[in-house]
Amino acid sequence: MLLIWLDGITHVYESGNRPVVALDDVTLHIEAGDIFGVIGFSGAGKSTLLRTINLLEKPSRGRVVVDGRELTALPKRELQEARKRIGMIFQHFHLLKSATVEENVQFPLALAKVPSQKAKRRVEDLLALVGLEGYEKHYPAQLSGGQKQRVAIARALANDPVVLLCDEATSALDPETTQSILDLLVDIHQKLGVTMVVVTHEMSVVSRICRHVAVMEQGKIVEQGGVIDVLLEPKSAVAKRLLGKRDGQLAGRFPGYEVKPDALLCEAILLGDLAYSPVLAQVAATHGVTFTILSGTVDVLGGKPYSHMVLDWHGDLDSVQAAWRRLRDVGAKVRPLRLAAAGEFELEVTG
């Protein structure tokens, strides 16, 4: 079911004496229950796009529809009511410094005139959800960055939103804390089913928790699709730059390893159950070949285990190619490498 629909959104603002186009005819569909990433370099229009979803930024043209209601057509009072169903968390937390943890979480409930006892129970449930039991009377100055973000997440969930907007929510955190917050967001998604829109410039955030992604540049969406498709097969130049890939798409040196001129190297990508399976060894044994792993990583991509390796295969050409075909048949991505300049190897243009 379609939950968020941005239709032909353009946002122009004045900077000095000249107009600046922050969003340029953007159309975007987000399904209910998705974790949708929006990524791009600084100034691409990501945060403006996010803030358009709850009309903190009102577009110059276009329509915003959330949960079946066209927000751009609502009068002020009805818009304020609709916004209660859209939670938002920020890079720098935006907590009330003079309020305790429980008072910060209770604040939107007070604005919504929720009865005190009901609000108290809701705050208790939310603090348990984000792992902050026992911190009710603490003030923001007494909390770590990760704890502050957990308070901000609990506050954003106070009115039981259908959408949670995350604006660079982990950019101010160290890597370990970032991972714990991403794990928390995934846990919340699984328990509550809330749709999330995650703005970030960090590809690792998108690959870790998002299911779909839009890539932005100069106020436009230049590429979008499933995270696995976009990250493994980026088509736009900006997506390739974000991934650190050049037009050859993969390049690497292998210090201390002598690669022969006639070496049969390939990039192998295994997703899901394949990532932890012995499929490489099984296929090699079946076809009477062996291989050396020159580089490899195991991570999570689009919520699935993901293994990425560069392999040097040993055996005659026909047998190695037969092994590659078999790996493709079982769902692996296998792409040959060719010798490039300066002793590096990169993906072949075809294959």
Side-chain angles (χ1 to χ4, degrees), residues 66-304:
V66 178
D67 199 21
R69 305 187 72 185
E70 185 181 342
L71 302 191
T72 38
L74 294 180
K76 184 176 180 180
R77 181 170 295 181
E78 290 185 39
L79 176 59
Q80 290 174 340
E81 194 66 25
R83 280 180 176 148
K84 293 177 183 178
R85 301 286 280 162
I86 306 173
M88 190 167 187
I89 57 176
F90 305 88
Q91 177 179 357
H92 296 297
F93 324 126
H94 291 190
L95 300 180
L96 301 171
K97 296 180 180 179
S98 60
T100 64
V101 166
E102 64 181 359
E103 289 168 344
N104 266 282
V105 178
Q106 192 172 359
F107 182 68
L109 296 171
L111 292 178
K113 296 182 170 55
V114 175
S116 60
Q117 286 304 309
K118 183 177 179 180
K120 185 176 185 298
R121 289 193 299 270
R122 180 65 175 160
V123 171
E124 290 172 353
D125 290 344
L126 288 169
L127 291 180
L129 178 66
V130 301
L132 286 179
E133 306 100 317
Y135 287 85
E136 292 83 357
K137 303 301 182 184
H138 285 61
Y139 288 88
Q142 298 172 294
L143 304 177
S144 67
Q147 290 169 335
K148 290 176 184 177
Q149 194 59 285
R150 287 171 184 267
V151 176
I153 292 170
R155 181 184 60 188
L157 295 172
N159 281 315
D160 194 24
V162 295
V163 178
L164 181 62
L165 306 179
C166 308
D167 191 4
E168 298 280 8
T170 60
S171 294
L173 306 175
D174 62 73
E176 184 176 351
T177 305
T178 290
Q179 189 57 61
S180 72
I181 294 298
L182 294 180
D183 289 343
L184 174 61
L185 290 175
V186 170
D187 183 57
I188 289 169
H189 179 261
Q190 292 172 343
K191 290 177 177 176
L192 304 182
V194 61
T195 301
M196 296 184 181
V197 186
V198 179
V199 157
T200 182
H201 64 275
E202 299 172 283
M203 194 61 79
S204 59
V205 171
V206 170
S207 65
R208 179 70 186 175
I209 69 170
C210 295
R211 304 296 182 264
H212 296 86
V213 63
V215 182
M216 293 196 69
E217 184 177 36
Q218 296 182 348
K220 292 179 176 288
I221 292 177
V222 296
E223 185 170 355
Q224 63 179 303
V227 164
I228 291 172
D229 297 328
V230 173
L231 268 62
L232 295 186
E233 300 283 356
K235 295 178 175 58
S236 64
V238 65
K240 291 176 183 178
R241 294 202 307 275
L242 284 162
L243 286 163
K245 295 184 177 183
R246 59 197 193 197
D247 286 341
Q249 294 196 1
L250 175 74
R253 295 172 180 268
F254 314 109
Y257 185 84
E258 181 182 356
V259 180
K260 297 179 181 178
D262 59 348
L264 298 171
L265 271 66
C266 78
E267 177 194 50
I269 296 172
L270 310 178
L271 283 168
D273 293 340
L274 280 180
Y276 293 113
S277 76
V279 64
L280 286 172
Q282 291 170 348
V283 168
T286 298
H287 293 278
V289 296
T290 59
F291 58 85
T292 301
I293 301 175
L294 303 186
S295 67
T297 59
V298 177
D299 208 332
V300 174
L301 184 60
K304 296 181 179 180

Side-chain angles (χ1 to χ4, degrees), residues 27-71:
T27 293
L28 184 65
H29 297 165
I30 299 175
E31 297 289 328
D34 201 355
I35 305 180
F36 194 101
V38 181
I39 192 165
F41 290 107
S42 178
K46 309 183 300 295
S47 291
T48 302
L49 178 67
L50 191 77
R51 292 165 64 87
T52 299
I53 294 174
N54 60 2
L55 289 197
L56 288 181
E57 295 279 359
K58 190 170 183 179
S60 307
R61 291 189 299 277
R63 296 190 300 156
V64 177
V65 180
V66 178
D67 199 21
R69 305 187 72 185
E70 185 181 342
L71 302 191

